[in-house]
Every structure is written in C-alpha cells, then in structure tokens.
C-alpha cells in the first residue's frame, strides 16, 4: 500500500502520434475513469500530481515510458494496474505498476540517458557502415544544427560529448542505429541531432519521415532501474 | 505501398497528427465480416471542431448500436495534411478503419454552417469521388447530407444524392437499412433513391427540376419522378425522452474545443426570436425528464472520466424544471468533483444563486445577448429583454465580483436606424458607469466586451424575405460603433462583412448557387470558416465566373408571393405564421413565449406541443 507509484507503458502504432500534452490529458482522464483518485497540488490552481519521466517526441514509439503519480488514498499497485489497464486504447500498453515510495525526487530530475533505435530504410553493407561509423565518431567535434530556444534561430552545436554509445548495423534492407544519449535536466541530446548529423556525414539521403525511432530504455542516476 | 507506411510518412510531417489516427476511447470497433452497411459520417471542418459537436456523437451511436451497420468518422484535413495526401496519392479515409471514403456504402455530411460547403466539396474531391451527383455511377457511395443548413438544401442540391431533413436518430439508421436491403436485392441507386424519397424527411434533389423567370426568380418546381413527394416533410421525433442518447461518447485524442460530457436537456425553443432559424426549425420543444438527464450525465462522467459537464439546448434556463435540475446537478458535480457549465443561461436571480456557486464562471466572464441596442428594435426581433433586465443583471454580476462581461449584438436587422446603434453604445456606457459605483472611478480591472455580428437572413424565419445590409453598410456601421465605443474598459469586436455576404447567398440561395461553390472549390476554397483560410478574392472571382450575382441573393428583398428555393421543404412552421410575425415585427409588436399560450406557428398540426401554455 502506498500513495506514490510508477507505471511503465509502451507506445506503438498510431498512438505514437499522440502528443505529450494529449497523453497527459489522456492519463488524467483514465485515472478518473478507473476510480483511482490522484492527489492534487496545493495552491491557487491545483493540478493532479502526475508526470512523465522524460517527454517523448511526437512520432516516436517507445517500449519504456514511465509515468509517476501520487494518489489521494493508500492503494495497492496491482489494483491500480488492473484498473488502468482496462482504460488503454490500441497502441498504449501498461507493462507494470509499482510503488515508488522510496523515491524522493521526481524521475525527470534523476534521468540520465536514453537508448534509442533508429530504423532507416537504406540498404548498405556492413563494411560501409563500419567505415562511416568510425569516421563519424572520430571527428573532433560532431556538429549538428539545432533550433535555439531564445530566438528560434538554427545554430551549430557540438553533441560529441552527449553521445554515450553509437552502433550501426545492417538489418535486411534497413540500416539500424542503436544509440544512447544524454537525456535529462543536466545534459540532453535529441536523437534528431544524431540522425541528421550522421546521415549527412554518411551521405544517407533517406527522408527523415521514412525513418522510425523507438525509445528502448531510460537510465537513471544511482543505478535506479525500471 | 501499404497504407500504414504511407500514412506514417505523412503523419510525421503534419501538425497535430493525432487528428488523423482514430482509435479513441469509446470509438466503434466492428468485425467487418458481419457488417453489411458502412457509412462515413463526415464533418466538414477540423477534428477539434467536429469532435465537439454533439449531433455527431448522437448519430454515431444511433447507427453503431445496430450490429450490421458501421458508422465511422472523417473530418476535414488541415491544409498541411491535405497537401501531403495529394503528394502521396492518399485518398481521404475514415478514422476507424482507415478505409477510403469511396469504398463506403454511404457518406453523410453534416451541414452546420454555410461556410462549410466548400469543405464538403473539397472532402469529396480528396476522396476521388465526383462532385456532381449526376457524374457518380453505381460504384460510388450514396452522398447524403443533413443538419440545420439542409432546410435550404438547394445550393448543395447538385452535389448531394439525398438530404435528411429534421431529426436524424431514427431517420439515418432507417435510410441505411433501406440502402442495405436495396443493395442486397441488387437494386440500382436510382431505385434506392426512389424508395428513400417516400420516407418522411428525405429529399432527393435530382427528382425535381427548377424553372426560372427572366428576372431570375423561381418560376416553378417541376417534379421529375412520380414517386417523389410534392413537399418534403421534416422528420420529427414526437419526444426525445425515449430517444437513445450516447452515454459513451468518443473521447477526442487531440484536445477538442469542447472536451466535456454533454447532455441535451431539450430540443426546440418557444421564445420565437424572429431572426433565429434554430428557434423555428427545431419546434416544438421536447424535453428530457430530469431523472433521465441526471442518469445520462452520471453515466457519461463514469464512462469518459470527464471533469466537466455541460448542458445542451437552445436556452438552458427555459427547461421547465430548471431549478430542480440545476440544484441536483450542482450537488452531483460537487460530490463527483466535476465542474458544471451552464451555457446560454438566462441571467435572473436564480442564475446568480447558481453561478455564484460555480466559481469557474467568474474567470470566463458573464455573457449576455440583448441582440439589439434599443427596446424598439428588441421588440421588432421579439427578443424579450428589457433595459431594466440588462442593467439589473449586470449590476448584480458586478456586485458579486464579476470582472468581465461580454455583450452580443446583431447589426443590420430590419428597421434598424442610427438610434439603435447609439443604443448599443449607450448600454456599454451605462455598464461602465455601474461598474464605477462598485469598483471606484477608475473602474478597477473591469472589462466589457461588445461583440457585434452581422445579421444574415435565414430560411424558415419571419425575416426570410428581408434584404441583408451590403458590406459597405456593415462597414459604415462598424466604423460608427467603433468611434462610439472608444470608452475606457470597452473592447469592441465585429465580424468580417464579406463572409456574412457569402453566408447570406448560400443561406437563401437557389440551385444555381452550386455553380459558385464549384468555382470556389476549383480556386482552392475550403475551411472558409477560418479567417486564416478564407480568401475573399477567390470567392469574388468564383461568383463572377459562375455568373452568380451575390447582390441578387443577399441584398434583395423578396416579395411575399415569390417562390422561395426552400418552399418544397417543410419544417412544420407555417408560412402564414412567418408572415404574421413579419407583420408584427414591422409594427413593433412582440409575441409571447408560447409556454404562456400557443402563438399558432402550426407545428401542433404535426405533433403535440408538450410545453404549450404550461405557464398560461
Ligand atoms: S404550435 Fe403553438 S405551442 Fe406549439 S410551438 Fe407553435 S406556437 Fe408554440
């Protein structure tokens, strides 16, 4: 019995086109519907206490989404899991619900990195892929164009230090990237920057919209695992 | 390329892709093998708009409860989506099963406002379905349309195979059943349409031909098919208490304009405002019982997880047991932690008791619609509101802490003079003064919004013969009001005049106006209800090229014996009544709410008026 929980769920199929905010709205509603009363924040504009560990870009699928929330009453994780599973539409699937009593900080603040798999419909042989991979990683700096928040201008940024792992392999007619990138409040790197800089380095001209990105896992400080 | 892949490459590039994915909670999933009749309910506007429309949820539910029929939904794609769909050769598809519209047995459009007509054409063309019904062979779905605009269906007559006039919850499933049977028997589309035209509320435009006089008015209506009725009679549900109401509405995935549980409390209106089409075409008033409303509300909240509940009708507080209903709903909502919203509330003492308890309201502001600036003009339009009503309610609102009041007016009404415009400014001034009494000479944070819309004469109203103001007249009035309303604390809003002209053309247009729609469509017009997608020059050119003179339709007063384009579509309110009301308007006489006694509109010849004289 607890009042703080984490739900792990996956997002696939058309559900990957549900935006962060719409998904948040969806979960709030699903909780209401399933009778799991959330705890509300104090103050002028009370809002229920729930949030995602890391936002997921529109169009990405994921097998590792984490939603943490606080309930108004002392509840049992299994009961919540059962109730909320019933509310899931196609494409959203609850994997588990666990108590999060020991966590004193929000997941978002202890998230360190994320693993992604990028599938590019570009057929290449292993030799070529190894070659471009090494060249890409051996660059002194890996620059990518990024939209600056302040003035919306495109500026160059060096992402080399933020790439924790970078593998390339051929899979049938596709090229697959397996990457681990900084993801959190301290340091963050969007997979889009890796995709664009790598493709331009390797001369892969497959349009971005033909590629699929899936988030495979989230990693946290202090070896927290979910 | 398989559909999902094609869609994937498109959806990654559009704004709000969630509009096109379907799969919402409570959306209908069916085994296509046991389904015998498939229909796409098409809303000619964006997802967020269409999903806020209760009528779609009602009909969706009415069709889908029949096992062998499947109603899916489709909305207008936004221009970015449209562009990519064309590039990728992806025809318009339903949200539920992503099936192209042209593979449906029927496609049904709802016509809520005239400015959506071009979007209907665009949706057909994105579906690769020929626009003209005469160009569509047996292989194409039956194209149907309904909704309030279907009461003058003529401008859309060349594009639509069959119109549904009136209440749809029985009629639509019946028409689909008939279509299913006809197809099973191997009957042709024409044979189906013949049979359908015998049903109450079905209008098949191709069975009628219109002849015109030299002056452009209608000479006569010639029936081309003996099976078709001389006059199409509106389908009326005698009561709505037993009518099915969706307790599991589809929940939008992308935030809709209104994202809340809604219960229709009654259909129709007894007030008789003379400009109001809804007040005529939905007669008589048919109420749901308080218990039924409460049950539906609870069931909806439980099945949707909504945290807001709203009531739907033409005038919330006219519900006969409004007091009991409001108190019970407030009680329930408080317990269930749901916020209650009561739109178009008549602002009286009880309303304040209620509103004061529903905190939300003070944030959104109080709305009030006197519609006209002087008592004289309000009598002309039969809007039963007095100056005293306005000032007492406003004063009460201000004293209770409201900081934002919104007033709605209409300009260009019959008999309007400068005095009536001055009256609008006068009311604004007086309200600002009232506020100073409570919030000091500087007025505090108080805001008054004055919104002015342009009067568009509508079919089936006592004003259906009137001329509309020209854009020049409207603009002159806007300028005049703008200068008069330069008052500290007052914000003045008004609508685009040319849009109102287009509305007026199609609201009372005849069959020839379809040519202008076609031309406008060819010039790329669609989503004209959105200022950012409305191109006046395209419309102007479309009118010119198609030889449709907007002046003839918008600015011309009709004589009372002129054959009106919608004369063969009967809403149930008699022409004699409309004429008498027009007469009374000109002599500035009001007609009382028929809950105090029948005003003789004629609808009781068709059905019983359950609220007739209940206060009398
Ligand atoms: S017939 Fe009489 S009571 Fe019935 S709606 Fe008309 S005016 Fe009202």
């Amino acid at each position: 019995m607890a009042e703080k929980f984490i739900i792990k769920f996956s997002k696939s199929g058309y559900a990957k086109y549900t935006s962060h905010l719409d998904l948040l709205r969806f979960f709030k509603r699903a909780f209401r519907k399933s009778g799991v009363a959330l705890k509300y924040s104090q103050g002028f504009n009370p809002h229920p206490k729930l949030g995602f560990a890391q936002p997921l870009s529109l169009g990405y699928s994921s097998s590792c989404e984490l939603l943490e929330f606080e309930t108004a009453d002392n509840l049992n994780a299994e009961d919540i899991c059962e109730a909320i599973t019933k509310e899931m539409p196609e494409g959203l699937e609850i994997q588990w619900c666990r108590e999060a009593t020991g966590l004193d900080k929000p997941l978002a603040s202890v998230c360190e990195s994320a693993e992604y798999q990028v599938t590019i419909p570009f057929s290449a042989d292993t030799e070529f892929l190894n070659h471009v991979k090494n060249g890409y990683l051996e660059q002194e700096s890996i620059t990518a164009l990024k939209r600056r928040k302040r003035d919306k201008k495109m500026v160059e940024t060096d992402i080399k230090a933020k790439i924790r792992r970078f593998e390339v392999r051929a899979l049938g007619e596709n090229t697959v990237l397996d990457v681990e990138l900084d993801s959190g409040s301290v340091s963050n790197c969007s997979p889009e920057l890796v995709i664009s800089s790598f493709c331009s380095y390797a001369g892969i001209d497959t349009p971005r919209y033909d590629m699929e990105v899936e988030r495979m896992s989230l990693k946290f400080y202090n070896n927290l695992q979910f | 390329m398989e559909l999902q892949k094609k869609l994937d490459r498109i959806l990654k590039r559009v704004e709000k892709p969630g509009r096109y994915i379907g799969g919402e909670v409570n959306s209908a999933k069916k085994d296509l093998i046991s389904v015998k009749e498939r229909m796409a309910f098409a809303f000619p506007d964006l997802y967020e708009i269409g999903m806020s429309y209760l009528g779609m949820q009602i009909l969706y539910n009415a069709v889908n409860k029949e096992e062998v029929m499947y109603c899916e939904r489709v909305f207008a794609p936004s221009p970015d989506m449209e562009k990519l769909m064309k590039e990728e050769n992806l025809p318009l598809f339903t949200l539920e099963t992503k099936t192209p519209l042209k593979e449906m047995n029927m496609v049904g459009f709802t016509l809520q406002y005239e400015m959506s007509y071009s979007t209907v054409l665009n949706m057909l063309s994105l579906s690769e379905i020929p626009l003209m019904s005469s160009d569509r062979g047996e292989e194409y779905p039956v194209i149907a349309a309904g909704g309030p605009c279907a009461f003058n269906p003529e401008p859309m007559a060349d594009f639509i195979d069959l119109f549904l006039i009136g209440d749809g919850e029985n009629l639509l499933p019946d028409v689909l059943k008939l279509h299913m049977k006809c197809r099973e028997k191997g009957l042709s589309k024409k044979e189906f349409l013949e049979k359908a035209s015998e049903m109450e509320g079905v209008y098949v435009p191709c069975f009628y031909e219109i002849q015109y006089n030299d002056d452009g008015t209608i000479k006569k209506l010639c029936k081309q098919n003996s099976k078709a009725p001389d006059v199409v009679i509106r389908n009326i549900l005698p009561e709505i208490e037993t009518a099915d109401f969706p307790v599991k509405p589809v929940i939008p995935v992308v935030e809709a304009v209104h994202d809340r549980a809604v219960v229709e409390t009654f259909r129709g209106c007894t007030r008789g405002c003379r400009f109001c089409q809804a007040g005529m075409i939905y007669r008589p008033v048919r109420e749901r019982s308080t218990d039924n409303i409460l049950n539906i509300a609870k069931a909806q909240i439980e099945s949707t997880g909504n945290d807001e509940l709203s009531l739907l009708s033409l005038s919330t507080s006219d519900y006969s047991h409004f007091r009991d209903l409001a108190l019970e709903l407030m009680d329930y909502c408080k317990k269930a932690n749901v916020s209650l919203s009561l739109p178009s509330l008549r602002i009286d003492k009880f309303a304040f008791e209620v509103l004061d308890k529903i905190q939300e309201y003070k944030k959104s502001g109080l709305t009030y619609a006197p519609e006209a600036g002087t008592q004289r003009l309000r009598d002309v339009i039969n809007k039963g509101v007095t100056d005293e009503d306005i000032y007492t309610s406003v004063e009460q609102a201000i004293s209770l802490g409201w900081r934002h009041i919104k007033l709605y007016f209409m300009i260009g009404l019959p008999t309007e003079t400068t005095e009536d415009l001055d009256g609008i400014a006068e009311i604004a001034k007086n309200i600002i003064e009232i506020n100073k009494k409570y919030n000091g000479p500087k007025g505090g944070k108080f805001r008054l919004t004055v919104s002015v819309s342009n009067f568009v004469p509508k079919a089936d109203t006592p004003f259906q013969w009137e001329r509309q103001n020209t854009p020049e007249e409207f603009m002159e009035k806007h300028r005049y009001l703008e200068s008069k309303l330069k008052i500290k604390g007052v914000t003045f809003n008004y609508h685009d005049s040319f849009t109102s002209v287009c509305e007026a053309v199609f609201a009372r247009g005849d069959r020839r106006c379809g040519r202008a729609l076609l031309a406008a469509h060819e010039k790329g017009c669609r989503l004209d209800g959105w200022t950012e997608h409305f191109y006046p020059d395209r419309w102007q050119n479309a009118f010119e090229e198609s030889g449709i003179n907007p002046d003839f339709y918008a600015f011309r007063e009709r004589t009372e014996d002129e054959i009106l384009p919608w004369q063969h579509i009967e809403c149930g309110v008699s022409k004699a009544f409309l004429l008498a009301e027009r007469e009374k308007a000109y002599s500035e006489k009001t007609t009382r709410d028929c809950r105090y006694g029948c005003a003789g509109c004629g609808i009781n010849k068709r059905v019983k008026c359950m609220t007739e004289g209940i206060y009398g």
Side-chain angles (χ1 to χ4, degrees), chain B residues 351 450 490:
Chain B
V450 176
V490 177

Side-chain angles (χ1 to χ4, degrees), chain B residues 283-284 594 598-604 609 612:
Chain B
R283 286 180 182 221
C594 62
C598 178
C601 78
I603 199 78
N604 56 1
C609 295
E612 173 183 336

